[in-house]
Amino acid sequence: MSKDISEFMLEAIRLSVNNVEAGKGGPFGAVVVKDGKIIARGVNQVTSSNDPTAHAEVVAIRNACAVLNSFQLDDCEIYTSCEPCPMCLGAIYWARPAKLYYANSKEDATALNFDDQFIYEEMARPIGERKLFTEQIMREEAMEAFKKWAVSTIKTVY
C-alpha cells in the first residue's frame, strides 16, 4: 500500500473518530481525492441534520461535485472509513469515481447495529413481497416527462 493511500484513509478514519467525539453523527468519515489531493471531506450528519441521506460518503460526494463543478467524479478516488451501505454504494456508482477504498467492513458495522442486510434482502424481493407497501400508480401520466426527455435537445446526458 502506498503512503498516499494510507494517508487518505487515515484522514477518513480521523474524520470518523472526530465525528463520534463531537457527538454530531455516526462513526463514519469519507474523503474524495483527485490528482493526489483531498478535494472534499464528509462525515455522517444523519442525526445532526435530521437527514437520513447525510451519510459520510454522500456528503463527501456532494462537496466534491461542488468543488469540481461537475455531477461526476471522473478520475477521483473515494476513501471511506467503512464499507458503504446500499444507498452510498449506489451514490458512488452514480458519481463514477475511478476507485473506492474502505476500512471497516459491513460486518464490523453490523456489530454496532448499523445493519444494512435487511435492505439487501428487501431489494431482492419482488415488490409485492417487500415490507414497505409499494404500488405503481399513474405511469401513463408520468411518461410525459420521459417522452420529453427522449427528444429533448437541451438535456445534459448523464
Side-chain angles (χ1 to χ4, degrees), residues 1 16 23 44 50-51 54 67 74 104 106 119 147 151:
M1 174 172 36
S16 69
N44 181 283
N50 293 319
D51 179 353
V67 167
D74 296 326
N104 291 322
K106 62 183 177 181
I119 297 173
K147 289 173 185 172
V151 297

Side-chain angles (χ1 to χ4, degrees), residues 50-157:
N50 293 319
D51 179 353
T53 69
H55 290 201
E57 298 92 332
V58 172
V59 172
I61 289 169
R62 290 174 181 162
N63 291 339
C65 287
V67 167
L68 296 173
N69 194 30
S70 174
F71 52 83
Q72 290 187 186
L73 299 179
D74 296 326
D75 302 317
C76 291
E77 300 171 353
I78 297 178
Y79 295 78
T80 181
S81 65
C82 187
E83 186 174 355
C85 75
M87 176 186 70
C88 292
L89 190 57
I92 289 165
Y93 271 96
W94 280 118
R96 296 176 174 88
K99 296 179 180 178
L100 167 66
Y101 298 93
Y102 68 90
N104 291 322
S105 69
K106 62 183 177 181
E107 291 79 15
D108 297 328
T110 297
L112 293 175
N113 294 318
F114 291 104
D115 188 1
D116 303 322
Q117 187 59 38
F118 77 97
I119 297 173
Y120 292 107
E121 291 169 5
E122 283 290 296
M123 290 171 59
R125 295 176 197 253
I127 290 174
E129 295 177 19
R130 294 180 185 168
K131 292 177 182 167
L132 175 64
F133 174 84
T134 305
E135 179 181 0
Q136 182 179 23
I137 62 172
M138 300 184 72
R139 178 178 178 265
E140 289 305 314
E141 293 83 350
M143 286 301 294
E144 179 181 356
F146 280 15
K147 289 173 185 172
K148 288 185 179 210
W149 175 264
V151 297
S152 175
T153 59
I154 61 170
K155 67 185 173 196
T156 301
V157 178

Side-chain angles (χ1 to χ4, degrees), residues 1-12:
M1 174 172 36
S2 78
K3 183 179 178 191
D4 288 342
I5 290 175
S6 62
E7 286 179 12
F8 298 141
M9 184 56 77
L10 283 172
E11 177 62 7

